[in-house]
Amino acid sequence: MRLHRPKLAWYLPALALLVTCSAPQHRANAPRQASAAVRPASLRPAVVLRAAWGADQKHVRPGMVYDRSVKAVFVHHTDNPNTYDCKKDVPKMLLALEQRHIELGWDDLGYNFVVDRCGGIYEGRTGSVDRDVRGSHTEGFNNDTVGIAALGNFGAGRQVPRAMLEAIAEIAAWKLDPGISPLGKVRLVSSNNASRFPKGTAVEVNTVSGHRDVYQTDCPGQALYDALPWVRQEAARLREQAARNG
């Protein structure tokens, strides 16, 4: 597991409006619950917390919803240009993303985690590091899932940095419930008619899926979508390594 992560402790102003992966669910309306899964501490990667990247905490709406499990991971991209500087630009990009999501009524930044092209992992939605916070990232399938957004545009023909893929795999290995294989499939039930599947429909998806698997979108871009089999294999390898090391 890689140990290096950027350490960012300054506050930067927001960029202009960002174009993001389409149509996360507005918000979840379910009772708040305590997280139940116990995950090996050795799997937790280095994460830049919200305070370190300068999150706009005062405009976050109260009433976060918590799940008791993480059954699947949905991978997104944000549609930003890929030429950003990981140290100088990422904090203001994240802040602009958060503020846009709040304006759209999603209470907070919709994704639980965001990863940059250098492999940095950032806490997105408030509390996502310590608890299973329900995000607003995948319409109809936010329940018991984690949303990870790759900062950039990874459509067909674009290169997805290896460090970014490793970061996504690290989050998946860490956050998925211990009994759920990153290589497997899981049954989820749609909670929203706006997804690919009518409300109440049971769907079998890969444990590590792309947004497009359950919503009418090209997100997370063809290049990143094509890399998801590698992400699944790497997440499984990290778990096997953690198990061997006790």
Side-chain angles (χ1 to χ4, degrees):
M1 184 179 295
R2 292 168 298 115
L3 298 178
H4 174 71
R5 294 281 186 226
K7 296 187 181 296
L8 305 169
W10 54 87
Y11 184 96
L12 294 173
L15 289 177
L17 177 67
L18 300 180
V19 178
T20 64
C21 210
S22 56
Q25 185 172 316
H26 171 67
R27 65 181 298 170
N29 295 310
R32 288 193 271 176
Q33 302 177 18
S35 299
V38 177
R39 302 179 176 94
S42 61
L43 281 173
R44 175 171 168 169
V47 180
V48 180
L49 302 180
R50 288 170 58 85
W53 59 259
D56 181 7
Q57 198 63 38
K58 73 176 183 178
H59 288 110
V60 172
R61 297 185 179 95
M64 291 292 149
V65 176
Y66 302 95
D67 290 317
R68 294 183 60 82
S69 65
V70 173
K71 297 178 180 177
V73 167
F74 285 105
V75 179
H76 307 255
H77 70 170
T78 63
D79 274 348
N80 292 96
N82 297 339
T83 54
Y84 56 84
D85 184 290
C86 293
K87 289 186 177 181
K88 295 180 180 179
D89 297 333
V90 170
K92 56 189 175 184
M93 294 169 74
L94 292 173
L95 180 58
L97 188 64
E98 179 197 23
Q99 291 177 334
R100 175 58 175 161
H101 284 190
I102 291 172
E103 288 174 4
L104 291 172
W106 300 340
D107 305 330
D108 191 2
L109 205 159
Y111 310 117
N112 297 102
F113 298 94
V114 180
V115 298
D116 68 25
R117 64 187 185 91
C118 301
I121 298 174
Y122 303 84
E123 181 183 29
R125 199 166 187 83
T126 301
S128 292
V129 167
D130 296 321
R131 301 183 68 179
D132 296 337
V133 180
R134 188 173 302 174
S136 293
H137 51 83
T138 305
E139 187 119 39
F141 292 90
N142 290 317
N143 299 5
D144 297 327
T145 69
V146 159
I148 305 171
L151 200 60
N153 184 309
F154 299 100
R158 296 180 184 270
Q159 184 176 2
V160 186
R162 175 66 172 264
M164 175 175 274
L165 295 176
E166 290 174 347
I168 295 170
E170 288 179 14
I171 300 169
W174 167 44
K175 274 292 182 176
L176 282 169
D177 283 0
I180 293 180
S181 170
L183 299 173
K185 293 182 181 291
V186 66
R187 179 180 176 275
L188 301 175
V189 177
S190 174
S191 65
N192 193 308
N193 288 326
S195 75
R196 280 186 182 272
F197 306 96
K199 182 177 180 179
T201 304
V203 182
E204 186 177 67
V205 298
N206 288 309
T207 303
V208 179
S209 287
H211 188 190
R212 65 170 65 179
D213 291 324
V214 293
Y215 190 77
Q216 296 288 351
T217 177
D218 66 355
C219 184
Q222 191 63 47
L224 181 49
Y225 190 79
D226 289 344
L228 291 184
W230 185 91
V231 170
R232 297 179 191 117
Q233 292 285 345
E234 178 65 6
R237 186 192 70 80
L238 291 171
R239 286 195 158 188
E240 291 171 3
Q241 177 180 287
R244 287 195 304 268
N245 294 339

